[in-house]
Amino acid sequence: MRTVAGIFEFNLSLLFSIITFAVLFFILYRFFFKKVHDFMVQRENEVRSDIESAAESRRQAEETLDRYNQRITDVESEGREIIRQARDNAKDQAQGIIDRANDKARELIEHSQEQIRRERFDARKRLREEVGDLAVLAAGRIMEKEISADDHEDIINRVIEEADERPWS
């Protein structure tokens, strides 16, 4: 073993240590460090992918929640619209029923008024006939005898009383 004078001493064990270190470094680099590095890079990529996937899932969940909330709002709006339409239809039907009832009542009133007019006309006609009969009766009694003004008034009062007692038919 030879020694070199100066700062650096060279011996064989140092050379073997350097060679052993280089071989060990090469073997570890080739078979271990590279695999560990690849594993670490792969794990980092997986973690990054999982984080991105979680973020995407969260975004989709928020979109789904927004859609569901929108649907709930739409359903509530549709429900209010259906209720409003039903209420409007009920009002329209009620108004239609009221209008038909008013028309029917108006027809009945008109029919009753027409019937009253006919009965009034018939009553006037019978009254004229009765008055005519009474006038003939009164004239017949007057013709039976000559009477004074007092007797004439008496006869008229009797005729009126008889007319009151006898129903007009």
Side-chain angles (χ1 to χ4, degrees), residues 1-6 8-11:
M1 296 204 221
R2 191 172 156 196
T3 57
V4 177
F8 222 148
E9 283 189 33
F10 184 71
N11 69 20

Side-chain angles (χ1 to χ4, degrees), residues 145-157:
K145 63 178 184 177
E146 268 193 43
I147 54 171
S148 68
D150 289 334
D151 289 338
H152 181 63
E153 190 174 324
D154 239 3
I155 292 172
I156 290 175
N157 287 336

Side-chain angles (χ1 to χ4, degrees), residues 123-138:
R124 284 183 182 163
K125 183 178 172 185
R126 281 186 300 224
L127 181 63
R128 284 186 192 130
E129 290 172 1
E130 289 288 328
V131 169
D133 290 343
L134 286 176
V136 168
L137 179 67

Side-chain angles (χ1 to χ4, degrees), residues 39 41-52:
F39 173 76
V41 168
Q42 180 184 0
R43 183 68 183 142
E44 181 183 349
N45 289 338
E46 286 176 4
V47 168
R48 188 176 289 129
S49 174
D50 288 345
I51 291 172
E52 289 172 359

Side-chain angles (χ1 to χ4, degrees), residues 43-72:
R43 183 68 183 142
E44 181 183 349
N45 289 338
E46 286 176 4
V47 168
R48 188 176 289 129
S49 174
D50 288 345
I51 291 172
E52 289 172 359
S53 176
E56 179 65 22
S57 295
R58 181 181 174 144
R59 186 189 60 77
Q60 288 176 351
E62 288 174 354
E63 286 178 2
T64 303
L65 180 63
D66 289 343
R67 282 196 308 268
Y68 285 142
N69 287 336
Q70 184 62 37
R71 284 183 185 170
I72 289 171

